Amino acid sequence: MPDSINKVGTVVILAAGQGTRMKSARPKVLHPVCGRPLVAWVVDQALSLAPRQLVVVVGHGGESVVEAVTVAAGATPVTFVTQEPQLGTGHAVQMAAEALGSDPGRVVVLYGDMALLSSATLSDLVAAQEEGGMSLLTFEMDDPRGYGRILRSAGAVTGIVEERDASPQERAIDECNLGVYCFDGAQLLADLPRLTNDNDQGEYYLTDLVALAVEAGRAVTTGTLENSDEALGVNTIAHLAEVRWAMQVRILEKHMASGVYIEDPASTTIDAGVKIGAGTHILPYTVIRGGVVVGEGCEVGPFTHLRAGTVMADGAEVGNFTESKNSTLGAGVKAKHLSYLGDATIGAGTNVGAGTIFANYDGKLKHRTEVGQDAFIGSGTILVAPGTIGAGATTGAGAVVTGQSAVGADETWVGVPARPISRAADREQRADDATDEQE
Ligand code: UD1
Ligand code: MG
């Protein structure tokens, strides 16, 4: 029984290749795109089709790829298949045949290096597949970037030829194969053993299934892209940068649509999964990595680096050459110049003076520093962690507050190492003395 319209039984992701053209020791699908491995974006695509099962073919960099896929898939179970050696995209799907089971339903095959495909485009591909036939995504490109070319006769697709196997006339074709297919699962299982490796690379090409389908008179149909940037795959480091930027633009546009003013998108990096409240202003040359939360009405930048675990409450401001990691900034906190906020909790209304360093690392371990509300940290203060600074306390310019110090509420500490010059108890005493004198 064919699945009902637009229902996908199985998604297979091919992620076993080495990515030789990347000239990188890291497996291609683990290169980061906006803070997530390339393959994580492809897992999202697969999940958007809500398949009954998800099969991922791994090989090169096996364990680390399994880990990245597992994280991205979250609660969805994944069947991993190992392809060793890697003898081509067709061989990769052959290795997955057993995992597909006897009734895989509609099977969508995705390549692990195509990060930008939208769920709308994938739905279109699935809708284009006719009973017993296969569908694929194609796109006319000015720069075919080494992609396979779509052969047509009288308008109908007749095959795919890889660039390295193509004649000069075939290379001139601008309609390219994007490497995304939807098959009738039973037909796929029947056709897979018929692939040969009779080509320039001596590989089993998945793309040869197109000619097999055409020979047998089965429908080969094509789906269209929602947006042209979806055609960008990653085969080289230059492609990686190009795909990252396309993804970055999507992320920036989403934030701007929800009321975040990104003054200079071209110089702003914001990873996937960052939350930013409306009315916040991001100034140029700012980098916000994954795992950061910025409240409403905040100001970030210019030249600011927010790293994982940074949480800024509403109205907090972090500026020029300030880096923050794993730190919580209360409402209205200001740290506007030349500071490192590492493993700190900073109470609302506190002012962190220029050049303040939260020295969180003792050479072996990281420690935290707690600063209360409305404190005033003088310029050039070094707060050696662990330590606490009470609410309303002050440190003098250049103070070095050594580890394990507990600066009390409203106290003022100065010097190297920092010592209290005014303790709350002293002030109370002075106030008492003054009262005594008046009496
Ligand atoms: C492939 C297509 C080409 C298409 C292009 C689009 C084939 C033969 N060619 O070429 O028509 O234009 O994608 O991006 O399919 N992989 C494995 N095992 C292998 C080989 C590859 O799992 O043995 C995986 C890779 O990890 C990668 C994907 O399959 O994620 C595609 O492999 P790649 O080598 O990038 O194929 P292309 O040369 O780009
Ligand atoms: Mg590729």
Side-chain angles (χ1 to χ4, degrees), residues 398-410:
V400 175
V401 182
T402 51
Q404 316 288 349
S405 295
V407 174
D410 297 318

Side-chain angles (χ1 to χ4, degrees), residues 209-253:
L209 290 175
V210 173
L212 290 180
V214 171
E215 263 169 42
R218 295 192 294 271
V220 177
T221 45
T222 55
T224 46
L225 295 186
E226 189 81 356
N227 287 299
S228 59
D229 67 5
E230 295 180 47
L232 301 175
V234 175
N235 291 313
T236 64
I237 291 286
H239 291 161
L240 181 70
E242 192 181 9
V243 165
R244 188 214 69 96
W245 176 242
M247 191 68 86
Q248 184 65 90
V249 168
R250 290 185 189 178
I251 291 171
L252 296 175
E253 282 175 351

Side-chain angles (χ1 to χ4, degrees), residues 14-34:
L14 305 190
Q18 182 179 359
T20 332
R21 290 164 282 178
M22 299 292 281
K23 302 202 171 74
S24 161
R26 196 192 290 213
K28 172 164 73 177
V29 296
L30 295 185
H31 283 75
V33 172
C34 297

Side-chain angles (χ1 to χ4, degrees), residues 39 48 115 282 355 358-359:
V39 73
S48 79
I282 311 285
F358 285 75

Side-chain angles (χ1 to χ4, degrees), residues 153-179:
S153 166
V157 176
T158 56
I160 299 174
V161 60
E162 290 306 297
E163 183 168 279
R164 56 197 298 162
D165 301 306
S167 67
Q169 290 88 332
E170 288 167 337
R171 279 179 193 222
I173 295 170
D174 58 5
E175 188 184 6
C176 295
N177 171 38
L178 298 184

